[in-house]
Each structure stands twice: as structure tokens, then as C-alpha cells.
Amino acid sequence: MDISTPSTTPKYSSSPIMMNPNPNSAAPTTVSAISSTPSRYENQKRRDWNTFCQYLRNHKPPLSFTRCNGTHVLEFLCYLDQFGKTKVHHQTCQFFGHPKPPALCPCPLRQAWGSLDALIGRLRAAYEAHGGKPEENPFGARAVRIFLREVRDFQAKSRGVSYTKKRKRTSKQAEGNNGTTTS
């Protein structure tokens, strides 16, 4: 056998080849090209769920996630406020309504509304992924939705930032904005 001749199998292939676990089969098996690592969203959802479950375990008395309700979710959101990084001015503060205050003030740092809204969305999904029924999901409770709306409105006033909901564009508006006009 001549060592200098190239082998008949390609050196590099598009998918990795593994040994087939069946010794009687001569065909090699291929590994899926899809990554098995969770996405950033899935990692964050898992961390948020673990944090919430830890909060429930430390609750007096301890609760299981199947027994928690909207009130417990609100308590959790208030607990998270102590770790916030967004300055929320009181109505009595001289900088209330100023988006960029010129000096420091003693107003508290809170969780930003957008962070809370995203957190609740991830926890809603995690609750159902862990076997909770969608109709019993405490993260979708009316009290939680009202709380988030009030936080959004107050933070917008406090920081002098108006919040307007973006509307979905209709197909007719989208055509008009693409520069395609008919004469």
C-alpha cells in the first residue's frame, strides 16, 4: 500500500461523524448541526424562574409555585425594587418630570418598567413550561397587569418621558412608506 495516495474518504465533512452504537451496522451516524445550548432568552427565563422559586421558598410560610397568586407576584416585584438602577423621582422632588436632572436628589432607585414587563413575560412562559395551567397563571393576573401599567405611567411622569404605544402598521400604510406611489 502506498502511503502517499490520498484516502477515499474526505478529510473534512459538513457534519461530524460519530460511531454508530449498533455494532452490526456499517453506516456511521451523524450528529445534528443544531446547537444544544439554550438561547439567551431561555437562560434568562431559567434564572428568573429559579429566583422566583427561591423567593417562594424564603416566604413566610414557604409556598409552592402552584399555590402562589397575583398578590405573591406583586410582593416579589416590590422585593426586586431594592435592586433597581432607575431613578424614580417623588412628586415632591424638584426634579420630578425632568428627563435629565442637573443635580443629585434623594429619590430612590427602582426597577425600570421595561425590565419588570420583560421579567413578567419570561415568568409567565416559565410557569407554563413547568406545568402550570395558562388560566391559573399568577403572572397574568389582572392585579399584576394593573400594577405594571401604573408603574409605567408613574415612571414616565417622574422621568419626564412620555410613553406612547407603537401601533401596528397596516399593509396600505406600509406600501405608502416604501416610496411606491402610483400616478
Side-chain angles (χ1 to χ4, degrees), residues 143-164:
V144 174
R145 292 192 317 268
I146 291 171
F147 176 80
L148 287 174
R149 189 178 323 123
E150 289 174 354
V151 167
R152 180 195 69 200
D153 294 343
F154 185 76
Q155 286 187 5
K157 287 177 191 172
S158 166
R159 299 173 62 217
V161 178
S162 64
Y163 173 81
T164 55

Side-chain angles (χ1 to χ4, degrees), residues 87-98 101 104-107:
K87 179 73 78 168
V88 179
H89 301 287
H90 291 293
Q91 289 179 330
T92 57
C93 179
Q94 63 183 352
F95 301 126
F96 183 81
H98 291 274
L104 295 177
C105 68
C107 293

Side-chain angles (χ1 to χ4, degrees), residues 56-144:
L56 292 178
R57 283 191 295 273
N58 292 337
H59 192 271
K60 302 291 184 213
L63 292 167
S64 67
F65 81 91
T66 56
R67 292 189 48 225
C68 75
N69 58 32
T71 304
H72 300 114
V73 174
L74 294 177
E75 290 173 3
F76 177 65
L77 294 177
C78 291
Y79 160 76
L80 289 179
D81 257 350
Q82 67 183 315
F83 307 112
K85 297 176 184 153
T86 300
K87 179 73 78 168
V88 179
H89 301 287
H90 291 293
Q91 289 179 330
T92 57
C93 179
Q94 63 183 352
F95 301 126
F96 183 81
H98 291 274
K100 296 179 183 169
L104 295 177
C105 68
C107 293
L109 294 174
R110 302 263 172 111
Q111 289 287 339
W113 166 77
S115 298
L116 293 176
D117 190 49
L119 170 72
I120 291 298
R122 289 188 300 268
L123 287 172
R124 281 182 78 171
Y127 179 85
E128 293 174 16
H130 284 87
K133 296 178 183 175
E135 61 273 6
E136 296 173 1
N137 195 329
F139 302 101
R142 185 173 188 267
V144 174

